[in-house]
Amino acid sequence: MTRWTIYLSGEIHSDWRERIMRGAADAGLPVDFTTPVTDHAASDDCGVAILGAEDKGFWKDHKGAGVNAIRTRTLLRNADVVVVRFGDQYRQWNAAFDAGLASALGKQLIILHAADLTHALKEVDAAASAVAETPEQVVEVLRYVTGGE
Amino acid sequence: MTRWTIYLSGEIHSDWRERIMRGAADAGLPVDFTTPVTDHAASDDCGVAILGAEDKGFWKDHKGAGVNAIRTRTLLRNADVVVVRFGDQYRQWNAAFDAGLASALGKQLIILHAADLTHALKEVDAAASAVAETPEQVVEVLRYVTGGE
Amino acid sequence: MTRWTIYLSGEIHSDWRERIMRGAADAGLPVDFTTPVTDHAASDDCGVAILGAEDKGFWKDHKGAGVNAIRTRTLLRNADVVVVRFGDQYRQWNAAFDAGLASALGKQLIILHAADLTHALKEVDAAASAVAETPEQVVEVLRYVTGGE
Amino acid sequence: MTRWTIYLSGEIHSDWRERIMRGAADAGLPVDFTTPVTDHAASDDCGVAILGAEDKGFWKDHKGAGVNAIRTRTLLRNADVVVVRFGDQYRQWNAAFDAGLASALGKQLIILHAADLTHALKEVDAAASAVAETPEQVVEVLRYVTGGE
Amino acid sequence: MTRWTIYLSGEIHSDWRERIMRGAADAGLPVDFTTPVTDHAASDDCGVAILGAEDKGFWKDHKGAGVNAIRTRTLLRNADVVVVRFGDQYRQWNAAFDAGLASALGKQLIILHAADLTHALKEVDAAASAVAETPEQVVEVLRYVTGGE
Amino acid sequence: MTRWTIYLSGEIHSDWRERIMRGAADAGLPVDFTTPVTDHAASDDCGVAILGAEDKGFWKDHKGAGVNAIRTRTLLRNADVVVVRFGDQYRQWNAAFDAGLASALGKQLIILHAADLTHALKEVDAAASAVAETPEQVVEVLRYVTGGE
Amino acid sequence: MTRWTIYLSGEIHSDWRERIMRGAADAGLPVDFTTPVTDHAASDDCGVAILGAEDKGFWKDHKGAGVNAIRTRTLLRNADVVVVRFGDQYRQWNAAFDAGLASALGKQLIILHAADLTHALKEVDAAASAVAETPEQVVEVLRYVTGGE
Amino acid sequence: MTRWTIYLSGEIHSDWRERIMRGAADAGLPVDFTTPVTDHAASDDCGVAILGAEDKGFWKDHKGAGVNAIRTRTLLRNADVVVVRFGDQYRQWNAAFDAGLASALGKQLIILHAADLTHALKEVDAAASAVAETPEQVVEVLRYVTGGE
């Protein structure tokens, strides 16, 4: 295995993905990152924008969730390691859902969140191989596990 | 299949489980319900109460989550249908995590939540076979799918 | 294995299920049958009847298909043998879909259809262990495979 | 994942595959398409042409279906996303069968059909992540899910 | 686990099944045995007898093999332990095929054959947890593994 | 799920199994226990005793390990929860091997060992949902997870 | 999928593999072939030659079968299509065992044998997508399924 | 399959990996090796070094084991063949755990240990396709299985 594929799931409102990607690039790690669509508006609208308008919010959301699932499920299944980030805003149930999927599929999970979310995330953290508080720690974990030293 | 096993995951702060169980009993449905531990304090403390105290909250939570997982993962794997309830309080990431597990394991999912959570739950709802707003609707779904008429 | 579970999928507009069930009962076969909801109107309306009305036909159908899937997927997964019947009316794509599911899940498949559908069903038939033209032949197959003589 | 593999199953009597392929090429999408044999006569005759003549139509069809299955099952299993097209002619049970296989294998499904087939396809559509009416919509979905923006 | 299910595959021309069943009954073992159809003529003819005559031997055999597979595959999948017997007559390729199936499905395999077949069966024996030369040894193995002493 | 099946793997030189079984019985827990053969001599000799003597120790051990695997693998696969005990004597590699099997099969794991083995067992413990130091703690975990309160 | 991997299992005493490989090369097919070790003496002796001599034929065979399994199981699992050839000499139980493995793993199977083995191979043939009598037919099948025309 | 991936699990206190790697390189074998982190101190400290200090040894070990699992589980799942080495020092339960994982995942196993560990490793050896006593024998096995002659 010369390169690892890392799927970065979860929060889309802070720069955690960029910090991990930049850190990995700076360290020259043999990793390729995949991500969901992180443009919030595009992610919300993709269903109706492509497949036709809906009157009800429920079906607009349903269509969008389906289209996004084509991307996220496929990338998650093809990843070696899944990192899931929880921030302090929004409900982020899709992040926890992804963690459940990844766990059932036998993927190694790294959970990233601030210390004050520990109690709320205890079941998700318990399914993870590592729980980090900063993107830099995730980079260090990736450096260690891919570098072997 | 003469009886169905239904796992009731999620919120533990309202009487939705009782309403579903009572409704199913009143209708004479051929269903057996399983549930996580719904006593909040017991669920939080079980790890340290049984396996020894911890100084740090993180590890107290970790121990508790592990012990609870023995129950929840086993019951979820042995269920025919999984109902996941989301309320308006708390983060409920464990509920979304259970939904992800159930989906990856090929279980049929019913999601139960109020209409105002629709947007936040769109990815979870999209993985479900039915999305209900009231426990009585869940009873009706169970009546229909188990009764065949 | 003292009893076998047989799922009867497909056409709901002729009496083929009754003929198989009656034949099996008359022969005293150790089989339990499971079926989808065979009341056409109930099957079409269950989604909106239970979970709320829809303006668009697409979503009415979508809701109904979801609710029916809770029954059909669960019963299909729990069956030992799956019989799929194709008649000469309607498109019956759900029957062929069920056959694909059953095949991928490693279930033994028996396909039941009149001779004039042979060419159209060749891919489905090729995935089956037996192709019968009459319900009585299906009963005979069940008698042979469960009786061992 | 730098490239995606998309299997195009179903109808072979219109130019929908060409329109999707051309659209994807024009957009420079990182996708590779795989398809069943789309020459109707070759597909019907391949079994007896290669493996020897048959007197009965049933066995001619059976042989052909087997040979085609070597291609279709292998490509379907190796695909990331499966698109299934239903047209208004022929029974197309093999298309619905493929959709069932793909669903059970955990593949992301896109179903493509005209609006007037909605009711007949409701069970198949319910298993899909996206339902499109035109090949151009499929291209847009692929552009969105592979491009991430 | 109060009772074990043992599938007895292979040779149908000697009394090895009876000797194992009688030995297990005499020892009061908590085992239930399942078997293929052991009536050679019935097994050969079942396809055409039930589903219609064939002119070619190949298709007569094909139909019969399909019908028998409904029984054998289902029982094999539902067994805890699979015993496969090889005798000195006939090719018995179906016995070796069953052993391959059982091995891939994670079933525990016991192979039963005379010493002079050792070289020819080396690949099959290597996949087994026990290789016995007499039915009485198989009974002893079953007594030990089910009795726990 | 009215009763749980618990497989008790590992050390056979202390009374930990009896203490768990007695504790569960005293508490009236809805659990059924399964175990490997715990008679050390019988376990070592079963292969050659039943299937014929061997000159080399390697093959005597190989035969015995195979016969024991029929019991242990089958019971482990049929368990809901697997408890693995490590003592301070012997190498107990079979216990760690069982833990690896159980983990890959998605079974919930409880590891039982004294505190001084923590460092040596860190990889095994990390795969467990609970790590206990006494049989009484295991009983308490089983009481909690099966009783739901 | 630009290239297909074809595993050629079975008989090692005729030139069928060479004929298939040459035919595929002549036709420029996008296929890569993998094979077991086809040097009969090397295949028989590899276990004891590498891992140490054995007095008993049974263990010599056992060691050799194990070493060969490392190659054959790995290549079979990594193949897209499995061709199994049965000749008229020897028992060839390993070929039938491979067919069972391949079938349970969901691989597409092509069986190659002379017409006079039809009855003896009926269960194996029934699990195959194609049954050929000559290597040239296998090449034609590969040409058709990989070429798509 | 032009190259094979071999995961080298187990003992980190002798030069067995180097001897296998050098032997394979000298023989020009088409193999790529993957390994756990073999720096004992780094392996022990990685958890707390990256993710924060712990007061208790148990949690220090737990964190380290988790981080190492990201590497070891991923590499083990991506390997074609798994070699597990047992030395005469330390408990090496992680090696036996890896063997259990690999066995359940259907990987071909080669176990490497001195003859005096035979009895203690009998269950692990029984799950292997080859048991070697020297690294040079492992190289020979790899040469044979990858070279096909």
Side-chain angles (χ1 to χ4, degrees), chain D residues 37-115:
Chain D
V37 171
T38 55
D39 177 329
H40 195 158
S43 169
D44 274 2
D45 295 336
C46 63
V48 293
I50 299 174
L51 299 171
E54 293 295 334
D55 296 330
K56 294 188 178 179
F58 184 88
W59 296 118
K60 178 192 170 187
D61 283 334
H62 190 79
K63 272 185 167 174
V67 170
N68 282 303
I70 298 173
R71 178 177 176 88
T72 59
R73 299 277 180 100
T74 303
L75 294 179
L76 192 150
R77 279 187 181 263
N78 284 290
D80 295 307
V81 175
V82 176
V83 180
V84 187
R85 159 75 182 171
F86 292 86
D88 52 9
Q89 292 182 298
Y90 304 99
R91 304 259 184 180
Q92 305 176 79
W93 282 319
N94 58 329
F97 183 81
D98 277 3
L101 282 175
S103 179
L105 294 171
K107 305 290 179 188
Q108 291 296 303
L109 263 179
I110 301 173
I111 307 297
L112 170 63
H113 63 82

Side-chain angles (χ1 to χ4, degrees), chain B residues 90-126:
Chain B
Y90 303 98
R91 304 263 184 175
Q92 305 176 79
W93 283 320
N94 58 329
F97 183 81
D98 277 3
L101 282 174
S103 179
L105 294 171
K107 305 290 179 187
Q108 291 296 304
L109 262 181
I110 301 172
I111 307 296
L112 171 63
H113 63 80
D116 62 345
L117 295 180
T118 288
H119 187 61
L121 281 166
K122 64 182 186 294
E123 289 88 0
V124 177
D125 284 353

Side-chain angles (χ1 to χ4, degrees), chain F residues 12-134:
Chain F
I12 60 173
H13 299 287
S14 72
D15 65 347
W16 70 277
R17 280 188 187 81
E18 288 68 31
R19 286 164 64 186
I20 289 177
M21 289 179 181
R22 193 168 50 235
D26 289 351
L29 304 187
V31 294
D32 298 308
F33 292 102
T34 54
T35 71
V37 171
T38 55
D39 176 329
H40 195 157
S43 168
D44 274 3
D45 295 336
C46 64
V48 293
I50 299 174
L51 299 171
E54 292 296 334
D55 296 330
K56 293 188 178 179
F58 183 87
W59 297 118
K60 177 192 170 186
D61 283 335
H62 191 78
K63 273 186 168 174
V67 170
N68 282 304
I70 298 173
R71 178 177 177 88
T72 58
R73 299 278 180 99
T74 303
L75 294 179
L76 192 149
R77 278 186 181 262
N78 284 291
D80 295 306
V81 174
V82 176
V83 181
V84 187
R85 159 74 182 172
F86 292 86
D88 53 9
Q89 292 182 298
Y90 303 99
R91 303 261 184 178
Q92 305 175 78
W93 282 319
N94 57 330
F97 183 82
D98 277 3
L101 283 175
S103 179
L105 295 171
K107 305 290 179 188
Q108 291 296 303
L109 262 180
I110 302 173
I111 307 296
L112 171 62
H113 63 81
D116 61 346
L117 295 180
T118 288
H119 187 62
L121 280 167
K122 66 182 186 292
E123 288 87 0
V124 177
D125 285 353
S129 289
V131 180
E133 295 188 12
T134 69

